Amino acid sequence: MSNLLEVRNLNVKFRIDGGKIFEAVKGVSFDVPTNSTVALVGESGSGKSVSAMSIVRLLPRETAIVSPDSEVNFGGLNLLAASEQKMRDIRGKEISVIFQEPMSSLNPVFTVGDQIAEVLRLHTNMTRAQAWTRAEELMAEVGIPHPKSRMKSFPHELSGGQQQRVMIAQAIACEPKLLIADEPTTALDVTIQKQILDLIAKLQAKHHMSVLFITHDLAVVGEIADHVVVMQSGEIKEKGTAKAIFEAPQHPYTKALLSCRPSVEKRPRRLPVIDDFLRPEGVNQANLIERKRGYTADDKIVLEVKNLSKHFSMREGFFKKRDVPAVKDATFKLARGKTLGLVGESGSGKTTVGLTLMRLHEATGGEVFFEGVDLLKLSENDFTKYKRRIQIIFQNPYASLNPRFTVGQILMEPMEIHSIGKDTQERVNMSMALLKRVGMPEVSFYKYPHEFSGGQRQRIAIARCLTMKPDVLICDESVSALDVSVQAQVLNLLQDLQDEYQMSYIFISHDLAVVKYISDQVMVMSEGAVIEVANSDDIYLNPQQEYTRKLLGSIPKGWQGVAAPAPISA
């Protein structure tokens, strides 16, 4: 099989503060064969995206330094030596990119139809009318319902899955030879993720594309990739066919990536992390003992929710409004020291439940009893004292941290408001200890949020909530932005805190494997309604509703539909 793309000795450095040089990619070489999928995997900071963006020369010119002896050969042309005009001709036409965050990549002031048609008009001789017609066909091809009417929609009027499909439509508009997909399914729920993966595979077969698929999720890799390249700290640690990587991984780092992700088949007392596989003694066998989960009749109920409802008022035209139900009569209980998992597709009402419990949305109806007190009936002043005891970790770490505050100020502010710690020095010490517990260096205390990756910001957000040692912690997709090793660390941290302080969690997530691992009881939601509640083992072994079975059937299962065995030592 011939190679469409050959990357040889790729070295990339960045200029950082103070004139220092950071080496991001170190001598990377790999091939992308014609009409095949190559997965580039590794943790955040491993150099995956930098390597991919080097191919299309989208690295910042001011700070990025690509070694002159590096080569990226595409169809006999070294892209790193090509003129800027030549690269403009290639980008979008012969090589296209699906970026990780569609809302940051789609222009908010243009309709999605205009944005797809623009690609066609730039790279073909189509007229405006022809490009518009072809854009509508592409919208239909990627599975967007009612494409004719959706062509006139703006990005914010589409769901996350639909936005990602628009980006795919843009990317395949000119039938490129190579499609670079940079974490295209990370923020999507399992059913949409499966649809996107199936769509990419279908489009690849139809258009005879090669795909460079960048991800940190090896379960996804096992379903889509022909070849796998594993990166760590800017270097390739292992590469081979997907079959070889999944059935017989050779490098300890690859084994660790395969084993850090929670499995629906097993629930160890603690999840293994990368360091467990890189040390000579390997994984502590005591940590692999199964942890029992589930509610019992003796559990003390700390939070009882009855018929919780939330409607949003939507404007139609200038004078009309209509109520849209987001949560419909949700009823459930949360036991002390236990975790209730909330699962469902995007738009099912999971996050609205969490925000309404915190009174960040005012409930339309229902009751929320916390230690016998109905929180929804309290005045704003009376509710203030309960805010310390019920906290929330928000889904988006980019929007939930004050960009004008240092991390130290972010952590210490809630302690000062609620009079935690006798003085400033004690609060500083507590903040430093919490940073260490969530895997962040002490120097983070003096930095600002923009200096951290998304995963690091989420750990800071978790530390902020933990400053108050709440009784109930609502985790809204709190680990969805983290790669598998950091995710394992955070899940272990949450479990340690629950064991130590008997904290109760409402764990909202689209990742059903993570929910199975962390939850005692699982509540399934669809279109705002609770359709099934049961102990986590029961709901995974014997789901009662067809919708639940559909969700469980969408979980990525690794190579050839079988989860890779979790190695227990390096």
Side-chain angles (χ1 to χ4, degrees), residues 120-230:
L120 292 162
R121 296 190 66 210
L122 280 172
H123 294 289
T124 70
N125 295 321
M126 288 185 182
T127 65
R128 184 183 297 273
Q130 290 171 332
W132 186 266
T133 300
R134 177 57 184 147
E136 185 181 326
E137 293 171 356
L138 287 163
M139 291 270 280
E141 187 174 352
V142 298
I144 293 179
H146 313 297
K148 188 176 185 67
S149 61
R150 284 300 194 184
M151 286 281 287
K152 297 179 181 179
S153 298
F154 290 91
H156 73 271
E157 297 178 291
L158 304 179
S159 69
Q162 289 172 334
Q163 292 167 9
Q164 198 65 287
R165 287 169 186 266
V166 169
M167 286 202 63
I168 293 172
Q170 275 188 298
I172 67 166
C174 297
E175 300 188 8
K177 297 175 182 176
L178 175 64
L179 178 66
I180 299 174
D182 188 3
E183 300 271 12
T185 63
T186 297
L188 304 179
D189 56 61
V190 287
T191 53
I192 303 300
Q193 173 180 265
K194 182 171 176 57
Q195 291 172 20
I196 295 297
L197 294 177
D198 290 345
L199 173 62
I200 291 174
K202 175 185 172 184
L203 294 171
Q204 179 186 26
K206 179 178 179 180
H207 299 288
H208 304 290
M209 294 186 302
S210 293
V211 177
L212 181 61
F213 195 94
I214 302 165
T215 185
H216 62 254
D217 190 341
L218 278 165
V220 169
V221 169
E223 298 212 335
I224 197 170
D226 302 301
H227 306 272
V228 179
V229 178
V230 181

Side-chain angles (χ1 to χ4, degrees), residues 506-524:
I506 295 177
F507 197 90
I508 302 167
S509 180
H510 65 258
D511 190 329
L512 298 182
V514 170
V515 170
K516 168 72 184 302
Y517 172 77
I518 197 74
S519 300
D520 295 279
Q521 193 174 68
V522 175
M523 184 170 84
V524 182

Side-chain angles (χ1 to χ4, degrees), residues 480-496:
S480 62
L482 309 181
D483 50 53
V484 287
S485 59
V486 177
Q487 182 184 85
Q489 293 173 22
V490 172
L491 291 173
N492 286 339
L493 169 64
L494 290 173
Q495 188 57 63
D496 290 345

Side-chain angles (χ1 to χ4, degrees), residues 23 53 60 86 97 121-122 130 146 175 178 268 298 380 385 388 410 437 454 475 493 509 518:
E23 199 169 2
M53 293 305 103
K86 183 64 176 177
V97 182
R121 296 190 66 210
L122 280 172
Q130 290 171 332
H146 313 297
E175 300 188 8
L178 175 64
D298 297 329
E380 186 63 35
K385 65 181 180 182
R388 172 181 171 180
I410 288 169
R437 291 207 73 171
C475 305
L493 169 64
S509 180
I518 197 74

Side-chain angles (χ1 to χ4, degrees), residues 16 21 57 79 105-107 116 157 160 169 191 197 259 296 308 316 318 380 387 401-402 448 451 476 518 535 564:
I16 55 177
I21 298 295
R57 285 180 33 191
L79 299 181
S105 306
L106 295 173
N107 193 321
I116 298 171
E157 297 178 291
T191 53
L197 294 177
S259 302
T296 68
L308 182 68
E316 289 186 341
F318 287 103
E380 186 63 35
K387 290 181 179 179
L401 300 177
N402 191 328
Y448 289 87
E451 299 180 78
D476 186 9
I518 197 74
N535 282 347

Side-chain angles (χ1 to χ4, degrees), residues 374-516:
D374 186 354
L375 300 180
L376 302 184
K377 292 182 178 178
L378 295 176
S379 67
E380 186 63 35
N381 188 54
D382 289 339
F383 181 66
T384 299
K385 65 181 180 182
Y386 288 95
K387 290 181 179 179
R388 172 181 171 180
R389 303 183 65 187
I390 304 177
Q391 285 288 302
I392 185 168
I393 304 169
F394 294 100
Q395 179 175 355
N396 186 352
Y398 292 91
S400 60
L401 300 177
N402 191 328
R404 297 178 181 273
F405 279 16
T406 65
V407 169
Q409 290 172 310
I410 288 169
L411 296 181
M412 292 174 63
E413 182 187 36
M415 289 191 273
E416 291 169 358
I417 291 172
H418 293 281
S419 302
I420 298 171
K422 63 183 180 181
D423 53 31
T424 299
Q425 186 56 52
E426 185 171 340
R427 291 173 190 136
V428 169
N429 295 340
M430 292 169 66
S431 299
M432 292 290 191
L434 280 170
L435 285 172
K436 185 176 180 181
R437 291 207 73 171
V438 298
M440 298 291 292
E442 288 189 355
V443 70
S444 306
F445 183 88
Y446 304 101
K447 295 184 176 182
Y448 289 87
H450 74 270
E451 299 180 78
F452 299 95
S453 68
Q456 290 171 323
R457 294 187 204 198
Q458 194 63 288
R459 282 186 269 176
I460 293 166
I462 291 170
R464 177 178 60 185
C465 287
L466 298 179
T467 58
M468 290 174 280
K469 296 178 183 173
D471 296 290
V472 175
L473 183 60
I474 301 169
C475 305
D476 186 9
E477 300 281 8
S478 56
V479 297
S480 62
L482 309 181
D483 50 53
V484 287
S485 59
V486 177
Q487 182 184 85
Q489 293 173 22
V490 172
L491 291 173
N492 286 339
L493 169 64
L494 290 173
Q495 188 57 63
D496 290 345
L497 293 167
Q498 189 173 64
D499 291 341
E500 184 175 351
Y501 300 114
Q502 285 294 288
M503 293 168 62
S504 302
Y505 299 142
I506 295 177
F507 197 90
I508 302 167
S509 180
H510 65 258
D511 190 329
L512 298 182
V514 170
V515 170
K516 168 72 184 302

